[in-house]
Amino acid sequence: MNRNSLDQFISEVKKVWGPLSSELVSSCQQLLEKLVKDSTTEEWMANLMAKTDVDIELYRDPEHGFLLLAHAETEGLYRAPHDHGSAWVIYAVQSGEMEMRTFKAIVNQKGKMTLVCRETYRVHPGESRVYLPLDIHDTKCISRSVLMLRLTSCDLKKENQEGRMVRYLE
């Protein structure tokens, strides 16, 4: 049977899945980067890239709960600093370019919380970034458009509904 890169990715992630660990994150990140590189000529990816408005679930694992999603964004779209609650996430850029920043929440001596930017970087096609539980980050599309794949350890809608995700004001 001829399997495409998406089927191969799902199969490989299922094999390595387990409790959050450095090894799991590294394996999943490598597999996701391989997926965005290997899928460029496949029909399913061409269909995604032909659309201007993409926000779809590509796969939801019934046993382990991880999800693979595809998102398209347009130039200038900014998502303010946020975390993903108890979930961890890997963003991989398929096409276009994203600017991402990471932050640390600091409480001063008067009890006021401020976000301090740790780093700013650009994520290019074939590259990915990992955000562990409670990591604070933002995203901005800095090219005409971007298509990214996002692997999440669980359903972020549920994380949000149950109050574990936080959106911050800068």
Side-chain angles (χ1 to χ4, degrees):
M1 176 164 83
N2 187 14
R3 295 172 49 136
N4 67 27
S5 61
L6 180 58
D7 294 335
Q8 187 65 34
F9 170 81
I10 293 165
S11 175
E12 293 299 317
V13 170
K14 285 181 173 187
K15 287 179 191 174
V16 299
W17 198 260
L20 179 58
S21 67
S22 299
E23 294 78 17
L24 175 63
V25 170
S26 177
S27 294
C28 289
Q29 185 175 25
Q30 289 172 20
L31 290 168
L32 191 57
E33 286 182 357
K34 181 174 178 5
L35 174 62
V36 296
K37 291 173 185 170
D38 291 352
S39 63
T40 56
T41 60
E42 294 180 356
E43 184 176 349
W44 69 273
M45 183 55 71
N47 291 337
L48 287 177
M49 292 181 77
K51 298 176 182 177
T52 55
D53 185 26
V54 176
D55 188 9
I56 64 168
E57 186 176 297
L58 297 172
Y59 180 76
R60 178 182 295 258
D61 191 82
E63 180 182 354
H64 304 297
F66 65 83
L67 284 80
L68 180 65
L69 304 115
H71 300 282
E73 298 186 354
T74 56
E75 187 170 16
L77 180 64
Y78 175 69
R79 299 192 189 275
H82 61 281
D83 65 37
H84 294 128
S86 63
W88 57 273
V89 176
I90 305 172
Y91 292 91
V93 172
Q94 175 68 40
S95 64
E97 190 174 358
M98 294 292 291
E99 180 179 89
M100 296 181 170
R101 298 182 298 170
T102 59
F103 299 87
K104 174 73 175 166
I106 304 295
V107 177
N108 68 20
Q109 294 172 339
K110 296 180 180 181
K112 183 179 182 219
M113 194 269 298
T114 304
L115 289 183
V116 176
C117 182
R118 286 187 174 190
E119 63 182 327
T120 301
Y121 43 81
R122 291 182 173 200
V123 185
H124 304 93
E127 297 176 346
S128 67
R129 288 290 190 253
V130 173
Y131 298 99
L132 297 176
L134 303 178
D135 281 352
I136 304 168
H137 63 283
D138 67 1
T139 65
K140 183 178 181 181
C141 179
I142 57 173
S143 56
R144 190 173 144 264
S145 64
V146 69
L147 177 63
M148 25 177 207
L149 300 183
R150 186 175 76 180
L151 176 67
T152 65
S153 63
C154 62
D155 189 336
L156 296 183
K157 289 179 183 172
K158 184 175 180 184
E159 286 294 300
N160 191 39
Q161 289 169 347
E162 295 180 1
R164 288 184 290 275
M165 288 180 63
V166 177
R167 289 175 185 12
Y168 299 83
L169 299 175
E170 280 189 86

